[in-house]
Amino acid sequence: MNLLGVLPLAVVMIAGPQIIAAIFLASSRDPKRSSLAFLTGAGLAMLVALTAWYVVFHLVRVAGSGHDRHDGTRRAIDWVVLLVLLALMVRVFVRRKRTQPPKWMGRLQQAKPRYAFGLGFLLFIAMPSDQANMLAVAASLAGHDKPWWHLLPFLFLTLLLLALPLLALLAFGQRAAAALPKIRNWANDHSWVVSEAVILIFIAIVGSQMV
């Protein structure tokens, strides 16, 4: 598994409450400070979780040293990744009809930076789907002996995608502010389809390397 292979999963990371929250914050009373605090919290949560999962699977990989055991350990890690991705697909499909944003999102219009930071951290550290996603990415890279820093482009791409509402607001001003609610509604209704497609692509990549 190479670095480019895991990057598409950044789309899955932000599909759902994560991008919806980012859109709400971009149209809040203090969009710049609140959005930056949200991104900081999300980035910190991802850095902690990705590093933890990478260390776990790197230790598993090291424990399976020796040529035959090395290949067996790598294949076992690939199977773990496949099972996690399949479970993630099922979860995304089961939750596809939950199109109404949680009630707490209404608070985001008045959110202060401290609240936005905590929300960003919790959304990425406590969401089972994001943990499964980060497990799959870290396991794929650690299982194929890629260095830790290969996690960083995935982290930065996820944050870039999460920052798109703020970047649109900064670039286009009121036109973006008027369009954000429509984008939010579309993402709320269709993000699960995008997530399923990306997960399927990643499953195909992992499966092709196991043949």
Side-chain angles (χ1 to χ4, degrees):
M1 177 63 62
N2 57 37
L3 175 59
L4 294 178
V6 302
L7 289 181
L9 285 178
V11 176
V12 184
M13 285 292 295
I14 58 99
Q18 296 82 358
I19 192 63
I20 302 299
I23 295 172
F24 267 111
L25 288 169
S27 55
S28 67
R29 177 177 295 181
D30 189 2
K32 294 180 183 178
R33 293 177 62 209
S34 295
S35 295
L36 288 174
F38 179 73
L39 292 169
T40 302
L44 179 60
M46 286 186 64
L47 183 62
V48 170
L50 285 168
T51 300
W53 286 121
Y54 181 88
V55 169
V56 168
F57 284 98
H58 177 71
L59 291 175
V60 171
R61 184 77 163 129
V62 171
S65 58
H67 179 70
D68 293 336
R69 291 177 61 191
H70 201 57
D71 290 341
T73 302
R74 184 174 64 184
R75 183 171 290 272
I77 291 175
D78 285 340
W79 275 109
V80 170
V81 172
L82 280 177
L83 292 174
V84 168
L85 290 171
L86 289 172
L88 184 58
M89 282 194 70
V90 172
R91 178 180 173 82
V92 169
F93 183 79
V94 169
R95 296 171 65 88
R96 71 193 186 283
K97 293 183 179 180
R98 299 186 182 185
T99 58
Q100 293 301 318
K103 293 181 179 179
W104 54 262
M105 282 194 176
R107 298 178 57 187
L108 296 181
Q109 297 292 338
Q110 309 297 328
K112 294 182 178 180
R114 180 179 297 181
Y115 178 82
F117 174 87
L119 177 64
F121 187 86
L122 287 175
L123 275 179
F124 282 84
I125 205 72
M127 289 284 287
S129 57
D130 278 346
Q131 284 297 323
N133 209 350
M134 289 186 283
L135 183 156
V137 170
S140 295
L141 294 177
H144 289 262
D145 295 326
K146 302 302 180 183
W148 172 86
W149 68 265
H150 276 212
L151 296 168
L152 297 181
F154 171 78
L155 188 156
F156 292 143
L157 179 58
T158 302
L159 293 180
L160 177 61
L161 294 175
L162 202 62
L164 287 179
L166 176 62
L167 295 175
L169 184 69
L170 295 176
F172 302 107
Q174 290 302 315
R175 285 185 295 172
L180 283 176
K182 297 178 181 178
I183 297 172
R184 181 184 67 208
N185 292 336
W186 186 92
N188 206 36
D189 293 337
H190 299 92
S191 60
W192 74 272
V193 178
V194 178
S195 294
E196 294 284 53
V198 173
I199 295 170
L200 274 174
I201 293 171
F202 193 61
I203 287 175
I205 293 173
V206 176
S208 68
Q209 293 182 343
M210 296 175 64
V211 176

